Amino acid sequence: MAQKFRVVIVGGGVAGLALATRLGNSIGKSGHAQVTLVDKSFAHVWKPMLHCFAAGTAANENDRISFLSQASRHHFEFWPGEIAGMDRTAKTIMLAPVVEPTGEVILDERKLEYDALILSIGSRANDFGTPGVAEHCLFIDNLVEANGFNERFRMELLKAFGNNEELDIAIVGGGATGTQLAAELHKALDLASLYSFGKKPPKLKITLLEAGPRILPAFPEAVSTAAQKELEAIGVTVQTAAMVSGADEKGFMLKDGTRIPATLRVWAAGVKAPDVTRKFGDLKLSRSGQLEVRPTLQLVEDDNIFAVGDCAFIAEKPVAPTAQAARQQAHHLARHIPAWINGRALPPFAFNNKGAVVALGDYNGWGTFPGGKVFGGGWLRGISARMVHLMLYRQHQFELYGTFRGLISCLVDWLDVFVRPSVRLD
């Protein structure tokens, strides 16, 4: 019996899981190809919600999608592992050992063969080599890091509560992640105060540091100005033109000599591809380590390897590393790879900008249409933008779950409000 065409997708983020699900439902279900998803985690979360998991205002037990469950329902295979290298001549990728937190090796290093390889390994914050950041700062680029930050946040909050002290948090990066995290942390404290039996909650001092002239630089200036006013109204200190020169266990140092003390230090600035891209051999990379691809999303050097999402860089027409772009690229490949396997040429990917949205907890929110028109804010406190943000999340769930299971997920979330606290307390 002839070997099935092997499609291997590395990375189960927005692009990777959507692509595995769609290809599994088409060429996997029909038996025309074997589709395999590889990820170092066992569950998927929607990356634009990581700041909610970090603050504890979202119950990620309900918001995670099991890769094993998704694979069994949608005709693809799942392999746990983290890519550590590749051999393009032999058409194999190397997976790093799977190791328990105790140090015990569960699975040794393995090789996985492919006929088509799709890299969807995402991105992470870029510390730009700033001294002390890697050693003394927390990141929230994935669920493990977001949960790790939440653990630290709750313990430091308990300490501040017990000692009647102020909790200082400094966040570097005034983009969507840093800005939304600042608001979400205040929301978490507001919600936690409902369970404090009348005792006064500790004071939370949050400083948001942005190297540029304004926060939310991807949005129109009117949104940046309104968002800064909203953050300052709830008690966040916003400092723009604040270039961080170093970090230590007590805070940040700015280029102008100013020191920002902080018990918790979060780095949410910049975007770069995972360092592993530099171990893939002689491949063309962008300055931030992204894999350079042609408009067809194939690597410049190899027709059988694709890159999508944040780790991909289309040199001819760059696309911002957003969940929206990743999703559209996944849909493009899911639509055209079945024909490409049978010898047809791939059409170029064309990004359709549908605007952007930012929600500052329950305090306010704004969105922009492609033409630059702004919606949200105002006397309704941005309810339209916050509803759009929620609808985008539900759209993602419905795409992966299907209509029936998507509705069940919505119902479970609604019922959960009556059972669990609205913020993580333990």
Side-chain angles (χ1 to χ4, degrees), residues 82 84-85 93-98 105-111:
E82 183 174 9
I93 59 171
M94 280 66 77
L95 301 182
V98 175
V105 176
I106 304 301
L107 291 174
D108 292 322
E109 183 178 85
R110 292 147 292 147
K111 289 185 178 181

Side-chain angles (χ1 to χ4, degrees), residues 258-321:
T258 305
R259 183 171 185 85
I260 307 296
T263 304
L264 294 179
R265 301 156 300 279
V266 185
W267 192 274
V271 176
K272 69 173 184 176
D275 293 337
V276 72
T277 59
R278 304 186 186 279
K279 300 178 182 179
F280 289 163
D282 190 20
L283 299 179
K284 197 169 184 180
L285 305 177
S286 71
R287 287 193 303 174
S288 59
Q290 295 166 297
L291 296 155
E292 187 167 323
V293 296
R294 290 166 272 167
T296 57
L297 303 178
Q298 294 164 296
L299 293 193
V300 173
E301 303 85 356
D302 198 318
D303 287 347
N304 297 310
I305 303 179
F306 302 77
V308 294
D310 293 0
C311 71
F313 176 70
I314 307 173
E316 293 183 26
K317 198 171 183 179
V319 177

Side-chain angles (χ1 to χ4, degrees), residues 124-125 127 133-134 137-141 145-146 149 265-267:
R124 57 181 299 107
D127 64 11
V133 170
C137 292
L138 296 162
F139 296 79
I140 57 168
D141 293 312
E145 291 178 349
F149 172 84
R265 301 156 300 279
V266 185
W267 192 274

Side-chain angles (χ1 to χ4, degrees), residues 177-188:
T177 299
T179 301
Q180 292 180 131
L181 177 62
E184 208 69 28
L185 290 171
H186 264 285
K187 175 183 172 181

Side-chain angles (χ1 to χ4, degrees), residues 132-154:
V133 170
E135 298 83 2
H136 301 292
C137 292
L138 296 162
F139 296 79
I140 57 168
D141 293 312
N142 54 55
L143 183 59
V144 172
E145 291 178 349
N147 283 341
F149 172 84
N150 181 257
E151 182 73 21
R152 284 285 307 278
F153 173 61
R154 288 184 290 110

